[in-house]
Amino acid sequence: MKYVDEFRDPVLIEQTAAEIRRLAHPDRIYRIMEVCGGHTFAIYRFGLHDLLPANIELVHGPGCPVCVLPMGRIDDGMAIAEDPAVIMAAFGDMMRVPGQMGSPLERKARGMDVRMVYSPLDALKLAGENPDRQVVFFAIGFETTAPSTAFTVLRARALGVRNFTVFSNHVLVMPAIQAILDAPDMRLDGFIGPGHVSAVIGCRPYELVAQDYGKPVVVSGFEPVDLLQSIAMVLRQLNEGRAEVQNQYKRVVPWEGNPAALRALEEVFAVRPEFEWRGLGAIAQSALKLQADFAQWDAETRFAVSGLRVTDPKAAQCGDVLKGALKPRQCQVFGRECTPERPIGALMVSSEGSCAAYYEHVYLRQVAEG
Amino acid sequence: MCLAIPGQLIDAPEENPHYATVEVSGVRRKVNLGLLQEQGVKAGDWVLIHVGFAMSKISEEQAQEQLRLLAMLGEAMQARQEVEGYQFDET
Ligand code: SF4
């Protein structure tokens, strides 16, 4: 492993890795999904694969917000931004995601008013500074980010800001996990639960995975030791025939989550009957839109949104990679037509996307080593 | 996006319950405290920051670990840029 000496506790890392090797029965294969894109990134960046026995397979989950956003939603957002009165505000991760007519960044180069922001509150500030324009915040993210959007909408109401709306693409982690568990070709044995999503929703929602599907879930931190300990905890449960929810990331994740965040979500958002995910298709009750009370701040009420479904380019196999059916490298266009510099699929855009993480930390190294 | 940024609260949030000044590797910006209503934070406390909001209270030791983690992940610069990019002040 590349960085083992820099770590806070290299001895503990070696010990935990040795324990994993002890726990992993050589006669079976363990398929463990890390749900969160931040975990995928950390696993590749730290080269944790190199510490694991070959029969432990880490499957990369759907927890990268820009990766699961279908192209149709990007086009819908861009269609809103075509109105010259509109300023579209989006996170940096969104700027390079390809739509049918180019990415937001390319559209900006061609004159569209798209601004990169680091916080939804910055979008709200833009609205205050541009009273004669309509500022639309292109909201993406799981339950980690949705409360921040909710607070921003509440703030807009409190301040009486009328030229600010949210184009909500917030998605929910549990329905995605369930869709993966319900897929006919599902072969997963357990889950590494997301860290910061769980700081908001807590650990209780995952009990469904343990109880109804009989799969262990361990909510994990992001350090190498955290991830290795979580893998060991999953293995121990599997070996003992247990399926429980365990919290390895207690220092940040309370079992009950963050009540203030959950209240804000409840107040501002309603669950959509269904929402289209890239690669996973339509999933029931898997995304958030603004409550009717907040229609004034809802971009989908203020602007006409066509809601067209757009299929991904044929050669792109993002869906299969997202479901864990293919490894990034097995996609036909990986490293050829599709690279982080010129992404075809969204998994190549964000550093949390499994294709980009694999490309930067495994593929380039292998190419360099011949 | 998923990697939260550790910072230390510089001023007492009593004056404005919604916002406090946070310091992240020498950069000072406002962050929103709405998500920590229950925890009751004060000047000197360490928090994890995500898109302009303090999302969890953590110990100083955890904050140092998180900084190391960001550095090892090659994300320290980006984290600093993000905090520098917060322009909202007390919007
Ligand atoms: S290589 Fe590109 S097109 Fe293929 S799955 Fe990855 S992101 Fe999608």
Side-chain angles (χ1 to χ4, degrees), chain A residues 138-292:
Chain A
F138 198 130
I140 57 163
F142 284 87
E143 290 95 326
T144 326
T145 318
S148 306
T149 304
F151 270 100
T152 304
V153 171
L154 290 170
R155 201 82 191 123
R157 184 175 68 177
L159 298 170
V161 181
R162 300 274 175 245
N163 62 329
F164 171 79
T165 52
V166 168
F167 180 49
S168 172
N169 294 281
H170 285 301
V171 284
L172 302 171
V173 81
M174 263 312 293
I177 294 180
Q178 245 183 301
I180 288 167
L181 282 166
D182 288 333
D185 45 1
M186 201 282 303
R187 291 181 305 170
L188 297 170
D189 298 301
F191 291 88
I192 305 289
H196 295 136
V197 163
S198 308
V200 172
I201 67 173
C203 297
R204 209 176 282 287
Y206 307 117
E207 281 174 351
L208 180 106
V209 179
Q211 283 160 14
D212 293 11
Y213 294 88
K215 310 285 180 194
V217 180
V218 178
V219 171
S220 176
F222 294 85
E223 292 192 44
V225 175
D226 293 329
L227 285 159
L228 291 173
Q229 279 177 352
S230 301
I231 292 167
M233 286 161 84
V234 170
L235 292 183
R236 219 172 287 126
Q237 286 199 40
L238 288 171
N239 287 351
E240 293 166 15
R242 289 183 291 131
E244 293 163 15
V245 181
Q246 290 180 296
N247 186 4
Q248 188 277 339
Y249 199 28
K250 286 202 182 96
R251 57 194 198 272
V252 170
V253 175
W255 188 262
E256 301 291 345
N258 180 327
L262 292 171
R263 270 200 312 274
L265 287 181
E266 182 94 355
E267 184 176 358
V268 173
F269 288 114
V271 177
R272 292 177 195 269
E274 69 167 31
F275 192 72
E276 179 82 15
W277 292 56
R278 189 189 288 254
L280 300 173
I283 304 177
Q285 306 196 311
S286 64
L288 300 174
K289 65 170 189 230
L290 270 71
Q291 292 271 17

Side-chain angles (χ1 to χ4, degrees), chain A residues 11 17 23 31 49 77 90 94 97 134 137 146 164 167 195 213 242 245 251 269 275 291 304 320 327 330 337 347 361:
Chain A
V11 178
L23 285 166
R31 290 188 185 85
H49 289 278
M94 270 306 302
V97 182
Q134 285 290 331
F137 175 58
F164 171 79
F167 180 49
Y213 294 88
R242 289 183 291 131
V245 181
R251 57 194 198 272
F269 288 114
F275 192 72
Q291 292 271 17
D320 290 329
K327 302 242 160 256
Q330 292 169 319
E337 291 88 346
L347 280 64
H361 303 300

Side-chain angles (χ1 to χ4, degrees), chain B residues 41-91:
Chain B
V41 284
K42 56 183 187 316
D45 281 350
W46 290 83
V47 292
L48 285 179
I49 304 158
H50 176 66
V51 299
F53 289 75
M55 59 177 289
S56 309
K57 199 160 125 176
I58 54 171
S59 69
E60 179 171 359
E61 192 199 346
Q62 284 161 21
Q64 300 306 341
E65 281 170 28
Q66 183 74 6
L67 277 175
R68 272 176 61 96
L69 176 72
L70 288 174
M72 284 190 298
L73 287 169
E75 294 283 294
M77 267 303 289
Q78 222 181 319
R80 199 192 142 107
Q81 264 170 21
E82 169 167 340
V83 175
E84 275 174 345
Y86 296 157
Q87 301 298 332
F88 50 83
D89 212 36
E90 294 194 358
T91 301

Side-chain angles (χ1 to χ4, degrees), chain A residues 278 312-313 315-322 326-335 337-339 342-349 354-356:
Chain A
R278 189 189 288 254
D312 281 331
Q317 292 176 289
C318 306
D320 290 329
V321 175
L322 267 177
L326 284 186
K327 302 242 160 256
R329 204 163 175 175
Q330 292 169 319
C331 171
Q332 303 164 40
V333 291
F334 178 91
E337 291 88 346
C338 188
T339 62
R342 294 191 62 81
I344 292 181
L347 280 64
M348 211 35 121
V349 173
S354 47
C355 290

